[in-house]
Amino acid sequence: NAGVTQTPKFQVLKTGQSMTLQCAQDMNHNSMYWYRQDPGMGLRLIYYSASEGTTDKGEVPNGYNVSRLNKREFSLRLESAAPSQTSVYFCASSSDRERLETQYFGPGTRLLVL
Amino acid sequence: AQKITQTQPGMFVQEKEAVTLDCTYDTSDQSYGLFWYKQPSSGEMIFLIYQGSYDEQNATEGRYSLNFQKARKSANLVISASQLGDSAMYFCAFSGAGSYQLTFGKGTKLSVIP
């Protein structure tokens, strides 16, 4: 099993450009998450999807949109990138929130917005 | 809102010695979970150990153990017999039973000295 995979690994954008970060998991998990990590800080939740067909905002959703394409895939879209969105983006998945299941993370995407 | 505090920005430990990384949390929830993750210089987030608020015994996973003191709201990570490969950032994270969000501390950078 690959676990949680993310593409791309690195990306450089110019201000105003758009892009989609892709995430897939092969653990048959119900819930998926997008976090961002900024220097000197822990991860902060952008959006999550509790189950296929649902998405909800996290702590820092402004400037992002998400799509839960199917049970395996959860994408994050930046419609008009800004320098403040320079960060490392992590996707994660977990099986069942009611039992406080562990979230497993992908390798991350490093995004630089110029 | 929950708050996670890691008071040690950086720690040094001699190889083969034990080390304790501190984590305190603030919550009014009765049911919650505490997690520790390791982030090596390569960037991925690796799950280490989990403690549920109703677990009567401290969690252990190999060389990792969690010193859980519920009344003091602390969940310190203990690494026994440190190895050079333990050099990394360590993050404590909190999840309430009714929340999808993991709230992360700012992390502790552990350096293992040969």
Side-chain angles (χ1 to χ4, degrees):
Chain A
N1 287 350
V4 180
T5 57
Q6 294 182 233
T7 55
K9 291 184 179 179
F10 303 96
Q11 185 71 48
V12 179
L13 292 178
K14 294 181 180 178
T15 297
Q17 288 184 319
S18 63
M19 78 161 295
T20 299
L21 281 66
Q22 305 286 354
C23 174
Q25 53 91 8
D26 63 2
M27 296 178 282
N28 200 34
H29 283 170
N30 292 319
S31 303
M32 298 185 73
Y33 314 82
W34 278 104
Y35 290 87
R36 62 177 288 173
Q37 183 180 28
D38 299 304
M41 300 185 69
L43 280 67
R44 293 182 292 168
L45 184 65
I46 304 171
Y47 270 93
Y48 66 93
S49 170
S51 60
E52 188 177 353
T54 69
T55 60
D56 282 287
K57 296 178 181 179
E59 181 183 353
V60 289
N62 291 346
Y64 305 95
N65 286 302
V66 291
S67 295
R68 184 73 181 268
L69 304 171
N70 48 56
K71 190 172 185 178
R72 290 187 63 250
E73 298 173 288
F74 188 38
S75 63
L76 178 72
R77 183 161 178 84
L78 287 70
E79 291 290 352
S80 179
S84 61
Q85 294 178 304
T86 293
S87 190
V88 181
Y89 292 85
F90 287 95
C91 178
S93 70
S94 66
S95 62
D96 179 6
R97 76 160 178 123
E98 292 300 332
R99 289 177 286 177
L100 293 171
E101 290 290 335
T102 299
Q103 294 185 20
Y104 294 93
F105 286 81
T109 294
R110 294 182 179 274
L111 176 65
L112 173 62
V113 183
L114 301 174
Chain B
Q2 285 79 14
K3 183 177 178 181
I4 295 286
T5 303
Q6 295 181 253
T7 58
Q8 307 152 313
M11 290 276 289
F12 290 90
V13 63
Q14 204 76 34
E15 193 177 6
K16 300 181 184 178
E17 297 287 314
V19 63
T20 298
L21 306 183
D22 295 342
C23 173
T24 59
Y25 58 94
D26 184 17
T27 185
S28 57
D29 291 354
Q30 295 301 308
S31 178
Y32 52 86
L34 294 149
F35 303 80
W36 277 91
Y37 287 85
K38 172 184 178 181
Q39 187 175 41
S41 57
S42 52
E44 69 268 32
M45 295 289 289
I46 303 168
F47 166 71
L48 294 178
I49 195 166
Y50 164 80
Q51 178 83 43
S53 60
Y54 290 117
D55 294 341
E56 293 187 355
Q57 293 193 338
N58 287 343
T60 60
E61 290 285 350
R63 294 186 299 111
Y64 304 108
S65 61
L66 203 153
N67 184 2
F68 181 49
Q69 299 186 42
K70 192 171 182 177
R72 299 178 69 176
K73 294 186 177 178
S74 73
N76 299 338
L77 177 70
V78 180
I79 305 174
S80 63
S82 297
Q83 301 172 356
L84 295 179
D86 293 335
S87 294
M89 285 290 292
Y90 289 82
F91 291 95
C92 180
F94 172 97
S95 181
S99 172
Y100 284 98
Q101 182 168 337
L102 273 179
T103 301
F104 283 82
K106 292 188 176 182
T108 295
K109 184 174 182 179
L110 178 67
S111 299
V112 180
I113 304 167

